[in-house]
Amino acid sequence: MNATPASRDPLPAHPPDGPVHPLAAALLVFVDNLWMLADWNAFTWFLTIPLSYLSVAVPTIFLQRFLHRDGWGQSLGKGFLLGVLAGVPTSIMGTPVGLVLLTWAGIRRTRGASAPMPVVHETRASTHANVPPIPIEAQVMSSSPLGPPPPPVATAPPPPAAPVPPRRVEPWWVKLAIVLLLCGTIIFATRMVLDRTAGIAAKFRQQHITETFTSALPILARTPGGALELATATSTETLTRTDERTIAWDMFYLGKTVSEISAPVTYRYHLNLRDAWKLDVSGNTCIVRAPAIRPSLPPSIHTEGMKKRSESGWARFDAREQMAELERSLTPRLTRNAEDPRRLAIVREECRKTVAEFVRDWLLREDHWRKDRFDTIKVVFTDEPVEPALALPTLRLLGSPALP
């Protein structure tokens, strides 16, 4: 039985892109760098992680199957792997892997397409078929030719050269998508490197600072009768905000964000001169019933000494938003602190001395501050539950006799 030759279709040449199509690698880097965006991280993780996985895994499966010419099994495996890398909630896994794959593909494309696979011809022959003789071309040379040389023996023609499959040409939209994703990848990678090496980069860049100060027309307000500033108190105030977060009915703990602002603050206290005053005389003692002490609002914050600190948990990325919220609450919190009765009690005695000196100067101008007129001043504020007659002297003239 004669052999029946049968030829197998040539397999397509594997594209020179490495194990993963460049479009899939660029998509991995792009989605992985979205974890650096505040708006993206604002969602809860049970939404962002599946969304990141699906946005990379599903396109990768079709890219590997129809553009990279992988089988369905390989396409599903590579799509699953790249989707898992994109779903990790930081840019420490997907971005390095994607950049390595893109570099691999670039090197392969620079070197050109890989050598095409040869055409495989398969010949099926029966076990009882006669093996055809191998034609051999031979010529016998003799020293004395006896006749004309014999004609050359015919040989079999050489087998045809294997056809080279045409080089794969990608559609224009694939090339455009690769270029756009590569540009976005470079931008995100550059931003990530600069953010993490800001201190080093600052030493190699020039800086030009331009300050602009714009002052709007002030809103004027007048204190009727004027105000008498009594005392100031400066202290370093520290305001801390702590935010803990869980999901899935407190089953998963996402960490804690701690924001802290520390700044020197000056509190000022005054009284209105137009408020009700009451002066009584008891012997040589002038008893002054002064108006209540009031804080001057808002307190003065010394920004040159301000310090800020933020700490985020392992799954928290909202430190910037928490710090902004803390800054907005700084002035209202300090205002409440200035009106705290405990702080007023600290400065009350200093305010009492200032009022006594103010009354003494008035008595000096009227020539009443002397031993035969007034030599002692007692100051009691209207919000104090103290009888003026029982109050201790606030200011006394030097050399005046001690009170009983």
Side-chain angles (χ1 to χ4, degrees):
M1 184 175 181
N2 295 331
T4 304
S7 61
R8 182 181 300 173
D9 293 336
L11 296 176
H14 195 280
D17 295 333
V20 176
H21 195 275
L23 191 59
L27 182 62
L28 169 63
V29 179
F30 181 80
V31 175
D32 191 63
N33 278 272
L34 290 178
W35 287 104
M36 301 174 59
L37 300 179
D39 295 337
W40 179 264
N41 295 328
F43 296 99
T44 54
W45 275 21
F46 68 88
L47 290 178
T48 53
I49 290 179
L51 185 60
S52 300
Y53 172 81
L54 294 176
S55 61
V56 174
V58 174
T60 299
I61 293 174
F62 291 98
L63 289 173
Q64 294 297 120
R65 180 67 183 92
F66 297 106
L67 294 182
H68 204 261
R69 301 177 184 177
D70 286 341
W72 280 110
Q74 292 182 346
S75 300
L76 291 172
K78 294 177 181 179
F80 173 77
L81 180 60
L82 267 63
V84 170
L85 293 176
V88 176
T90 53
S91 300
I92 61 175
M93 296 186 65
T95 299
V97 174
L99 292 177
V100 170
L101 294 175
L102 286 174
T103 304
W104 190 345
I107 294 175
R108 294 289 300 273
R109 283 178 175 264
T110 302
R111 292 181 177 179
S114 59
M117 298 182 65
V119 179
V120 179
H121 295 276
E122 181 180 356
T123 303
R124 299 178 181 176
S126 173
T127 56
H128 303 286
N130 296 325
V131 179
I134 302 175
I136 301 176
E137 181 179 357
Q139 186 175 2
V140 181
M141 302 296 296
S142 63
S143 59
S144 57
L146 300 178
V153 180
T155 60
V164 179
R167 188 170 182 179
R168 176 172 56 92
V169 179
E170 295 177 342
W172 66 269
W173 61 268
V174 175
K175 298 180 180 179
L176 179 61
I178 292 176
V179 172
L180 293 178
L181 285 175
L182 285 177
C183 293
T185 300
I186 293 174
I187 294 174
F188 279 113
T190 303
R191 176 186 172 186
M192 179 180 63
V193 172
L194 290 179
D195 289 343
R196 298 185 178 180
T197 59
I200 299 176
K203 299 179 180 179
F204 296 93
R205 67 168 182 257
Q206 296 181 354
Q207 187 175 12
H208 301 279
I209 300 176
T210 302
E211 292 186 0
T212 302
F213 178 77
T214 302
S215 178
L217 292 176
I219 300 176
L220 302 179
R222 186 176 66 87
T223 302
L228 175 63
E229 185 170 304
L230 303 178
T232 61
T234 301
S235 61
T236 300
E237 305 292 350
T238 301
L239 189 59
T240 305
R241 180 187 179 92
T242 303
D243 182 15
E244 295 184 83
R245 186 172 299 178
T246 59
I247 60 173
W249 299 279
D250 296 337
M251 295 179 60
F252 299 98
Y253 181 68
L254 300 182
K256 177 172 61 176
T257 300
V258 180
S259 302
E260 183 178 280
I261 297 179
S262 177
V265 180
T266 298
Y267 300 94
R268 289 180 169 84
Y269 296 90
H270 70 280
L271 56 79
N272 289 335
L273 294 176
R274 195 171 183 178
D275 289 346
W277 290 70
K278 184 178 180 181
L279 276 70
D280 293 329
V281 177
S282 176
N284 291 343
T285 301
C286 180
I287 302 175
V288 180
R289 192 75 173 181
I293 303 173
R294 299 184 181 183
S296 301
L297 302 177
S300 301
I301 303 174
H302 302 273
T303 57
E304 71 278 2
M306 180 179 293
K307 298 179 181 179
K308 301 179 182 180
R309 182 180 65 89
S310 296
E311 294 181 1
S312 298
W314 71 277
R316 300 295 301 275
F317 305 93
D318 57 346
R320 186 175 301 176
E321 291 79 4
Q322 296 292 334
M323 179 59 70
E325 184 66 25
L326 187 63
E327 290 176 349
R328 286 191 291 268
S329 64
L330 181 60
T331 298
R333 182 65 183 85
L334 294 177
T335 299
R336 293 194 300 269
N337 195 20
E339 297 173 343
D340 191 347
R342 294 173 297 180
R343 187 170 294 273
L344 289 173
I346 295 175
V347 300
R348 187 176 296 277
E349 294 304 319
E350 297 300 323
C351 295
R352 196 188 311 276
K353 294 177 182 179
T354 303
V355 174
E357 292 173 354
F358 175 76
V359 174
R360 181 199 61 187
D361 294 340
W362 176 73
L363 293 175
L364 284 174
R365 287 194 300 268
E366 300 295 330
D367 196 21
H368 293 303
W369 183 248
R370 56 191 187 184
K371 294 181 180 180
D372 58 340
R373 298 287 180 90
F374 297 106
D375 57 4
T376 304
I377 299 176
K378 293 183 180 181
V379 177
V380 179
F381 296 102
T382 56
D383 56 344
E384 289 183 303
V386 178
E387 289 294 333
L390 301 178
L392 296 177
T394 306
L395 188 64
R396 298 183 61 205
L397 181 65
L398 294 178
S400 59
L403 295 176

